[in-house]
């Protein structure tokens, strides 16, 4: 059945294929266009470099009036990512606008990796290390980068 | 123990809580009400609240009806939207002028950097509404019904938020002076105009009326002034319709 949400998601997918942003990819699952799998590659020159982080994006029929629920499936160590993979990012919550598409969502999360917002920590240890002990922070990040290569 | 495992997904909890509140409001108040007697306003305030009761009485002399909107942060756009459509239905010249502005607005938005495939659905929804307005058998009740259809109504709100943004961005040099706390007009739009449910202020009214070249009046009902204050957008214009502002909320007033 074609609904506004599904039509829009088809267009988001087309755009992502025709004009793929660097370092992110995503596609709907085979049997449900409301559920997507995505990958974000850790940006160069950041502790996340070389990581291949998997995410799921769950849309509802209210998309694009409501944001999707985005979650890291790969283990993440980041001030704004919860233990369950949930992401604290304003455009996915109170700053959502229907002008964001999947491409914009993924590139925003990619930028968040190296530009955390320690003022709204979702992982207090990561926030603390990020501010007070960069070396230890980067060590922890390296560990999850390596972990992201498993289960390929 | 890893501290991150202790962290609860607080955001999700807050979002769930807000969703619950939103649902409660949704079930109790329509997006747009039918016209109600203006006297119904008085009942909302304590009888001994001299300032409000006095101001409401002075409203009676100019306005007979009020149309209420749901307090969901989009009230300005819905109040503006229904008033605009009701006015256009009565005024063929304005109808043709505004239709053209809306029709051409998509290209303006694309010039400003919005992606065509994203704005298309919102643009189409508003054009379809405008086409319905021109039909002879289109009644005000149908328009109200249209604005109470959540999906259509929200698409309308999204597009009018974009038009507001467009006017601010096109006239950024001017509006830069009025965006306290933001680095740029672009930032202001992305935080205060485009997100669904963000409340509107003076600057939004100036921008939207500026884009459409319409004239409105907003009557302010609050505790601060002694008399009802009225503002016209743009100043000194002859208003085509009137909105009622109470702190944080807009409704529609009719004579």
């Amino acid at each position: 059945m074609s609904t506004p949400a599904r039509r829009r998601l088809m267009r988001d997918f087309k755009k992502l294929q025709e004009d793929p942003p660097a370092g992110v990819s995503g596609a709907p699952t085979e049997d449900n266009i409301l559920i997507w799998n995505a990958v974000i590659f850790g940006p160069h020159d950041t502790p996340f470099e070389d990581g291949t982080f998997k995410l799921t994006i769950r849309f509802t029929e209210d998309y694009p009036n409501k944001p999707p629920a985005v979650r890291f499936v790969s283990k993440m160590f980041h001030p704004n990512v919860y233990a369950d993979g949930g992401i604290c990012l304003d455009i996915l919550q109170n700053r959502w606008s229907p002008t964001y598409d999947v491409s914009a969502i993924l590139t925003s999360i990619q930028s968040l990796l190296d530009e955390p917002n320690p003022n709204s920590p979702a992982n207090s240890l990561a926030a603390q290390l990020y501010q007070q002990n960069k070396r230890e922070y980067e060590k922890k990040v390296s560990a999850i980068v390596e972990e992201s290569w498993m289960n390929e | 123990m890893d501290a991150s495992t202790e962290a609860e997904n607080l955001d999700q909890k807050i979002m769930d809580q807000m969703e619950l509140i939103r649902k409660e409001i949704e079930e109790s108040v329509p997006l747009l009400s039918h016209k109600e007697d203006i006297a119904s306003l008085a009942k909302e305030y304590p009888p001994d609240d001299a300032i409000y009761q006095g101001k409401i009485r002075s409203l009676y002399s100019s306005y007979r009806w009020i149309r209420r909107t749901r307090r969901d942060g989009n009230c300005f756009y819905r109040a503006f939207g229904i008033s605009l459509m009701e006015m256009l239905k009565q005024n063929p010249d304005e109808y043709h002028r505004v239709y053209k502005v809306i029709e051409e607005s998509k290209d303006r938005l694309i010039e400003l950097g919005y992606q065509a495939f994203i704005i298309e659905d919102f643009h189409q929804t508003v054009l379809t509404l405008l086409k319905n307005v021109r039909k002879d058998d289109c009644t005000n009740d149908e328009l109200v019904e249209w604005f109470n259809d959540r999906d259509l109504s929200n698409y309308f709100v999204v597009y009018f938020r974009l038009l507001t943004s467009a006017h601010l961005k096109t006239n950024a040099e001017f509006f830069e002076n009025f965006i306290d706390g933001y680095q740029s007009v672009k930032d202001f739009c992305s935080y205060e105009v485009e997100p669904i449910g963000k409340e509107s202020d003076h600057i939004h009214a100036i921008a939207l009326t500026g884009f459409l070249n319409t004239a409105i009046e907003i009557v302010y009902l609050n505790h601060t002034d002694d008399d009802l204050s009225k503002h016209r957008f743009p100043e000194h214009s002859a208003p085509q319709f009137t909105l009622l502002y109470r702190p944080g909320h807009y409704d529609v007033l009719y004579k």
Side-chain angles (χ1 to χ4, degrees):
Chain A
M1 194 182 72
S2 175
T3 60
R6 287 158 198 263
R7 276 200 304 278
R8 170 64 195 268
L9 282 168
M10 281 310 293
R11 278 186 250 160
D12 280 25
F13 184 42
K14 197 166 157 240
K15 152 94 188 303
L16 207 55
Q17 284 181 312
E18 287 172 356
D19 183 15
V24 305
S25 71
T29 51
E30 255 172 52
D31 51 348
N32 188 351
I33 195 170
L34 296 177
I35 300 175
W36 288 43
N37 291 315
V39 176
I40 292 179
F41 299 96
H44 294 301
D45 302 321
T46 76
F48 295 91
E49 181 164 7
D50 295 334
T52 52
F53 305 105
K54 296 198 183 83
L55 305 95
T56 56
I57 314 176
R58 286 168 184 277
F59 301 89
T60 63
E61 292 287 355
D62 286 328
Y63 182 75
N65 279 327
K66 294 252 175 69
V70 190
R71 202 174 278 272
F72 277 101
V73 181
S74 302
K75 193 165 183 207
M76 185 42 74
F77 185 78
H78 187 280
N80 307 114
V81 179
Y82 291 98
D84 64 0
I87 302 165
C88 182
L89 176 63
D90 57 358
I91 69 151
L92 292 176
Q93 279 114 20
N94 55 12
R95 224 185 106 212
W96 170 255
S97 151
T99 57
Y100 297 117
D101 63 346
V102 177
S103 178
I105 292 168
L106 290 175
T107 48
S108 298
I109 297 172
Q110 188 188 33
S111 313
L112 180 71
L113 286 183
D114 196 43
E115 291 158 26
N117 175 7
N119 297 325
S120 56
N123 177 337
S124 48
L125 177 65
Q128 196 195 344
L129 291 181
Y130 177 77
Q131 284 174 308
Q132 294 164 10
N133 190 346
K134 274 276 160 62
R135 255 187 69 180
E136 192 56 29
Y137 175 75
E138 288 175 8
K139 233 169 90 185
K140 293 251 182 206
V141 171
S142 298
I144 56 106
V145 166
E146 278 177 36
E147 229 176 289
S148 77
W149 304 331
M150 325 267 189
N151 321 314
E152 284 283 313
Chain B
M1 188 175 160
D2 192 339
S4 65
T5 57
E6 291 164 23
E8 283 183 278
N9 198 332
L10 247 183
D11 279 330
Q12 195 54 50
K13 283 195 171 166
I14 292 170
M15 295 270 284
D16 290 349
Q17 188 68 34
M18 284 175 66
E19 183 68 14
L20 207 70
I21 296 170
R22 195 187 59 75
K23 277 208 175 114
E24 276 175 25
I25 296 174
E26 200 163 284
E27 280 156 18
S28 56
V29 193
L31 290 172
L32 268 187
S33 78
H34 286 282
K35 282 187 192 175
E36 293 173 21
D37 194 312
I38 187 87
S40 67
L41 259 182
K43 293 177 204 140
E44 290 182 43
Y45 300 95
D48 58 355
D49 186 329
I51 297 182
Y52 267 109
Q53 295 298 352
K55 286 184 174 187
I56 290 168
R57 270 194 303 277
S58 65
L59 270 180
Y60 295 169
S61 58
S62 311
Y63 306 99
R64 235 190 115 190
W65 310 101
I66 179 171
R67 188 190 296 289
R68 297 165 187 279
T69 66
R70 187 183 294 167
R71 293 174 180 266
D72 65 355
N74 299 311
C75 54
F76 171 70
Y77 297 96
R78 278 190 247 275
F80 187 99
I82 185 73
S83 313
L84 178 70
M85 296 307 149
E86 287 176 319
M87 183 272 287
L88 295 180
K89 204 154 74 73
Q90 307 296 330
N91 189 334
D93 289 347
E94 268 299 90
Y95 176 88
H96 291 292
R97 188 188 66 76
V98 170
Y99 188 93
K100 200 159 175 270
V101 173
I102 300 278
E103 193 172 35
E104 291 167 358
S105 62
K106 188 181 153 191
D107 291 334
R108 269 188 72 184
L109 289 171
I110 292 169
E111 279 165 31
L112 284 165
Y114 296 92
Q115 302 181 76
F117 86 95
I118 284 179
I119 58 178
E120 210 163 279
D121 283 357
F122 308 120
H123 184 235
Q124 269 311 319
T125 302
V126 175
L127 282 185
T128 307
L129 168 65
L130 279 168
K131 281 175 191 148
N132 288 340
V133 167
R134 201 169 69 164
K135 287 180 189 155
D136 293 336
D137 56 355
C138 170
T139 63
N140 280 23
D141 283 352
E142 276 170 13
L143 288 175
V144 173
E145 209 176 293
W146 192 94
F147 275 98
N148 274 307
D149 179 310
R150 198 188 58 174
D151 292 338
L152 294 172
S153 197
N154 286 344
Y155 269 39
F156 175 91
V157 169
V158 170
Y159 199 70
F160 270 53
R161 284 181 179 280
L162 292 180
L163 299 184
T164 307
S165 250
H167 191 78
L168 292 171
K169 289 179 178 175
T170 310
N171 301 281
E173 266 179 49
F174 173 74
F175 287 109
E176 251 160 33
N177 307 306
F178 307 96
I179 48 161
D180 286 350
Y182 289 97
Q183 296 280 336
S184 65
V185 168
K186 198 169 169 252
D187 274 5
F188 179 82
C189 291
S190 112
Y191 282 87
E192 299 292 341
V193 184
E194 290 171 18
I196 288 249
K198 272 282 167 185
E199 286 176 16
S200 300
D201 217 328
H202 239 77
I203 187 169
H204 302 73
I206 295 170
L208 185 55
T209 51
F211 188 96
L212 296 168
N213 208 2
T214 49
I216 69 169
E217 181 166 64
I218 300 180
V219 177
Y220 291 78
L221 179 58
N222 52 27
H223 258 141
T224 46
D225 310 305
D226 287 339
D227 295 313
L228 275 177
S229 55
K230 298 177 177 182
H231 289 275
R232 290 181 176 185
F233 301 87
E235 276 177 80
H236 314 300
S237 57
Q240 295 168 302
F241 49 88
T242 306
L243 305 184
L244 173 68
Y245 176 82
R246 289 177 280 168
H249 189 62
Y250 293 88
D251 295 300
V252 187
L253 289 176
Y254 297 94
K255 290 193 193 292

